[in-house]
Amino acid sequence: MTRIAVFPGSFDPMTNAHLDVATRASGLFDRLVVGVLNNPKKRPLFDIDERVALIRRCVADLGDHVGVEAFDGLTVDFARAHGAGFIVRGLRAVSDFEAELQMALTNRKLAPEVDTTFLMTALEYGYVSSSLAKEVAQFGGDVSAMLPAPVAQALAERLSNGARV
Ligand code: PNS
Protein backbone atom coordinates (compact mmCIF):
# COMPACT_ATOMS: atom_id res chain seq x y z
CA MET A 1 0.00 0.00 0.00
CA THR A 2 1.31 3.43 -0.94
CA ARG A 3 0.86 5.96 1.82
CA ILE A 4 0.35 9.44 0.42
CA ALA A 5 -0.02 12.59 2.54
CA VAL A 6 -0.54 16.27 1.91
CA PHE A 7 0.87 18.92 4.22
CA PRO A 8 -1.27 22.04 3.67
CA GLY A 9 -0.59 25.54 4.93
CA SER A 10 -0.18 29.19 4.15
CA PHE A 11 3.60 29.06 4.51
CA ASP A 12 4.05 32.85 4.39
CA PRO A 13 6.86 32.01 4.72
CA MET A 14 7.97 28.47 5.63
CA THR A 15 9.56 28.35 9.09
CA ASN A 16 11.90 25.88 10.76
CA ALA A 17 8.84 24.51 12.58
CA HIS A 18 7.17 23.75 9.22
CA LEU A 19 10.38 22.28 7.85
CA ASP A 20 10.78 20.09 10.91
CA VAL A 21 7.27 18.69 10.41
CA ALA A 22 7.85 18.21 6.67
CA THR A 23 11.14 16.44 7.37
CA ARG A 24 9.61 14.01 9.83
CA ALA A 25 6.52 13.44 7.67
CA SER A 26 8.78 12.67 4.70
CA GLY A 27 10.06 9.69 6.69
CA LEU A 28 6.57 8.43 7.43
CA PHE A 29 4.92 8.56 4.02
CA ASP A 30 5.75 7.16 0.58
CA ARG A 31 4.79 10.47 -0.96
CA LEU A 32 4.36 13.86 0.68
CA VAL A 33 2.95 16.88 -1.13
CA VAL A 34 3.35 20.23 0.60
CA GLY A 35 0.27 22.22 -0.40
CA VAL A 36 0.59 26.00 -0.42
CA LEU A 37 -2.79 27.66 -0.11
CA ASN A 38 -3.44 30.39 -2.62
CA ASN A 39 -5.96 32.41 -0.67
CA PRO A 40 -7.08 35.52 -2.59
CA LYS A 41 -8.62 36.96 0.60
CA LYS A 42 -5.22 37.22 2.30
CA ARG A 43 -2.43 39.54 1.26
CA PRO A 44 0.69 37.47 1.84
CA LEU A 45 4.17 38.96 2.00
CA PHE A 46 5.34 36.35 -0.52
CA ASP A 47 3.15 35.58 -3.49
CA ILE A 48 2.17 32.02 -4.27
CA ASP A 49 4.99 31.36 -6.75
CA GLU A 50 7.57 32.76 -4.32
CA ARG A 51 6.30 30.61 -1.48
CA VAL A 52 6.32 27.47 -3.62
CA ALA A 53 9.84 28.21 -4.89
CA LEU A 54 11.16 28.89 -1.38
CA ILE A 55 9.67 25.68 0.01
CA ARG A 56 11.11 23.70 -2.90
CA ARG A 57 14.57 24.96 -1.94
CA CYS A 58 13.96 24.10 1.73
CA VAL A 59 12.81 20.52 1.06
CA ALA A 60 15.23 19.78 -1.78
CA ASP A 61 17.23 17.35 0.36
CA LEU A 62 14.24 15.35 1.59
CA GLY A 63 14.01 13.21 -1.55
CA ASP A 64 12.09 12.89 -4.79
CA HIS A 65 9.03 11.63 -2.95
CA VAL A 66 8.45 15.12 -1.53
CA GLY A 67 6.66 17.61 -3.80
CA VAL A 68 5.45 21.18 -3.39
CA GLU A 69 2.37 22.57 -5.13
CA ALA A 70 0.05 25.51 -4.89
CA PHE A 71 -3.62 24.84 -4.39
CA ASP A 72 -6.84 26.71 -3.89
CA GLY A 73 -10.19 25.58 -2.62
CA LEU A 74 -10.58 22.82 -0.09
CA THR A 75 -7.67 20.91 1.43
CA VAL A 76 -9.65 17.67 1.11
CA ASP A 77 -10.04 18.24 -2.64
CA PHE A 78 -6.29 18.79 -2.88
CA ALA A 79 -5.77 15.58 -0.92
CA ARG A 80 -8.17 13.64 -3.15
CA ALA A 81 -6.53 15.00 -6.30
CA HIS A 82 -3.28 13.44 -5.09
CA GLY A 83 -4.86 10.21 -3.93
CA ALA A 84 -3.78 11.09 -0.41
CA GLY A 85 -5.25 9.28 2.57
CA PHE A 86 -3.63 11.64 5.06
CA ILE A 87 -3.39 15.32 5.90
CA VAL A 88 -0.35 16.27 7.99
CA ARG A 89 -0.47 19.18 10.41
CA GLY A 90 2.03 20.30 13.01
CA LEU A 91 1.05 21.05 16.59
CA ARG A 92 3.19 23.44 18.60
CA ALA A 93 1.30 24.04 21.80
CA VAL A 94 -2.08 23.47 23.39
CA SER A 95 -3.14 26.79 21.90
CA ASP A 96 -3.00 25.24 18.41
CA PHE A 97 -5.21 22.36 19.40
CA GLU A 98 -8.66 23.89 19.32
CA ALA A 99 -8.43 25.28 15.80
CA GLU A 100 -6.71 22.14 14.55
CA LEU A 101 -9.40 19.91 16.05
CA GLN A 102 -12.09 21.96 14.35
CA MET A 103 -10.29 21.75 11.01
CA ALA A 104 -9.65 18.02 11.37
CA LEU A 105 -13.29 17.32 12.23
CA THR A 106 -14.50 19.50 9.34
CA ASN A 107 -12.17 17.73 6.95
CA ARG A 108 -13.28 14.33 8.22
CA LYS A 109 -16.92 15.30 7.67
CA LEU A 110 -16.09 16.39 4.12
CA ALA A 111 -13.85 13.43 3.33
CA PRO A 112 -14.14 10.53 5.78
CA GLU A 113 -11.52 8.58 3.84
CA VAL A 114 -8.84 11.19 4.57
CA ASP A 115 -7.36 11.16 8.07
CA THR A 116 -5.57 14.08 9.69
CA THR A 117 -2.31 13.15 11.38
CA PHE A 118 -0.57 15.49 13.80
CA LEU A 119 3.13 15.74 14.41
CA MET A 120 4.37 17.60 17.45
CA THR A 121 6.77 20.33 16.45
CA ALA A 122 10.26 19.85 17.87
CA LEU A 123 10.68 21.53 21.24
CA GLU A 124 13.18 24.10 19.96
CA TYR A 125 10.66 25.36 17.38
CA GLY A 126 7.60 25.38 19.63
CA TYR A 127 7.54 29.18 19.72
CA VAL A 128 8.11 29.74 16.00
CA SER A 129 5.44 31.19 13.72
CA SER A 130 5.58 32.85 10.31
CA SER A 131 3.94 36.02 11.58
CA LEU A 132 6.26 36.45 14.56
CA ALA A 133 9.32 35.74 12.46
CA LYS A 134 8.23 38.46 10.00
CA GLU A 135 7.67 40.90 12.84
CA VAL A 136 11.03 40.17 14.46
CA ALA A 137 12.80 40.55 11.10
CA GLN A 138 10.99 43.80 10.36
CA PHE A 139 12.43 45.34 13.51
CA GLY A 140 15.92 44.05 12.89
CA GLY A 141 15.88 40.99 15.15
CA ASP A 142 17.79 37.79 14.43
CA VAL A 143 15.53 35.19 12.82
CA SER A 144 18.22 32.66 11.95
CA ALA A 145 16.90 30.17 14.52
CA MET A 146 13.34 30.52 13.24
CA LEU A 147 13.69 30.35 9.48
CA PRO A 148 15.55 28.17 7.00
CA ALA A 149 18.48 30.13 5.53
CA PRO A 150 16.94 30.71 2.05
CA VAL A 151 13.77 32.02 3.69
CA ALA A 152 15.64 34.31 6.08
CA GLN A 153 17.57 35.72 3.13
CA ALA A 154 14.44 36.23 1.01
CA LEU A 155 12.71 37.92 3.95
CA ALA A 156 15.64 40.28 4.55
CA GLU A 157 15.61 41.22 0.86
CA ARG A 158 11.87 41.77 0.85
CA LEU A 159 12.02 44.00 3.93
CA SER A 160 15.01 45.93 2.61
CA ASN A 161 12.85 46.78 -0.42
CA GLY A 162 10.46 48.56 1.89
CA ALA A 163 7.84 45.85 2.36
CA ARG A 164 5.91 45.96 5.63
CA VAL A 165 4.47 42.95 7.38
O1 PNS B 1 -0.76 27.58 7.70
P1 PNS B 1 -2.18 27.75 8.09
O2 PNS B 1 -2.68 29.12 7.73
O3 PNS B 1 -2.44 27.38 9.52
O4 PNS B 1 -3.02 26.69 7.18
C1 PNS B 1 -4.42 26.65 7.24
C2 PNS B 1 -4.97 25.78 6.10
C3 PNS B 1 -4.41 26.23 4.76
C4 PNS B 1 -4.56 24.34 6.32
C5 PNS B 1 -6.52 25.88 6.13
O5 PNS B 1 -6.89 27.22 6.11
C6 PNS B 1 -7.17 25.18 4.96
O6 PNS B 1 -7.22 23.97 4.90
N1 PNS B 1 -7.66 25.97 4.00
C7 PNS B 1 -8.28 25.46 2.78
C8 PNS B 1 -9.80 25.63 2.83
C9 PNS B 1 -10.45 24.45 3.55
O7 PNS B 1 -10.23 23.31 3.21
N2 PNS B 1 -11.30 24.78 4.56
C10 PNS B 1 -12.05 23.79 5.28
C11 PNS B 1 -11.24 22.97 6.27
S1 PNS B 1 -10.67 23.90 7.60
Side-chain angles (χ1 to χ4, degrees), residues 44-152:
L45 185 62
F46 293 98
D47 71 26
I48 189 71
D49 293 335
E50 291 170 327
R51 281 178 280 153
V52 168
L54 274 175
I55 298 169
R56 286 199 175 130
R57 289 176 66 191
C58 294
V59 303
D61 291 341
L62 298 184
D64 292 344
H65 66 305
V66 178
V68 186
E69 283 184 26
F71 78 101
D72 46 32
L74 293 175
T75 287
V76 291
D77 288 339
F78 181 65
R80 281 173 168 154
H82 286 278
F86 303 92
I87 295 168
V88 172
R89 292 287 289 171
L91 277 180
R92 288 165 302 188
V94 176
S95 51
D96 284 342
F97 180 79
E98 210 168 325
E100 292 297 334
L101 176 68
Q102 193 174 23
M103 276 199 270
L105 294 179
T106 303
N107 286 331
R108 181 179 296 165
K109 192 73 184 169
L110 294 169
E113 78 281 12
V114 180
D115 242 319
T116 302
T117 56
F118 293 104
L119 292 178
M120 302 305 299
T121 305
L123 193 59
E124 65 263 43
Y125 304 130
Y127 68 97
V128 175
S129 73
S130 300
S131 49
L132 277 184
K134 286 185 283 191
E135 186 174 305
V136 170
Q138 175 169 348
F139 294 111
D142 178 7
V143 289
S144 58
M146 302 179 207
L147 301 176
V151 176

Side-chain angles (χ1 to χ4, degrees), residues 146-159:
M146 302 179 207
L147 301 176
V151 176
Q153 191 186 339
L155 180 57
E157 283 167 15
R158 181 58 42 93
L159 293 172

Side-chain angles (χ1 to χ4, degrees), residues 30-50:
D30 300 306
R31 173 138 183 86
L32 178 72
V33 185
V34 181
V36 188
L37 181 66
N38 187 14
N39 184 351
K41 278 192 285 182
K42 284 195 180 174
R43 293 195 54 211
L45 185 62
F46 293 98
D47 71 26
I48 189 71
D49 293 335
E50 291 170 327

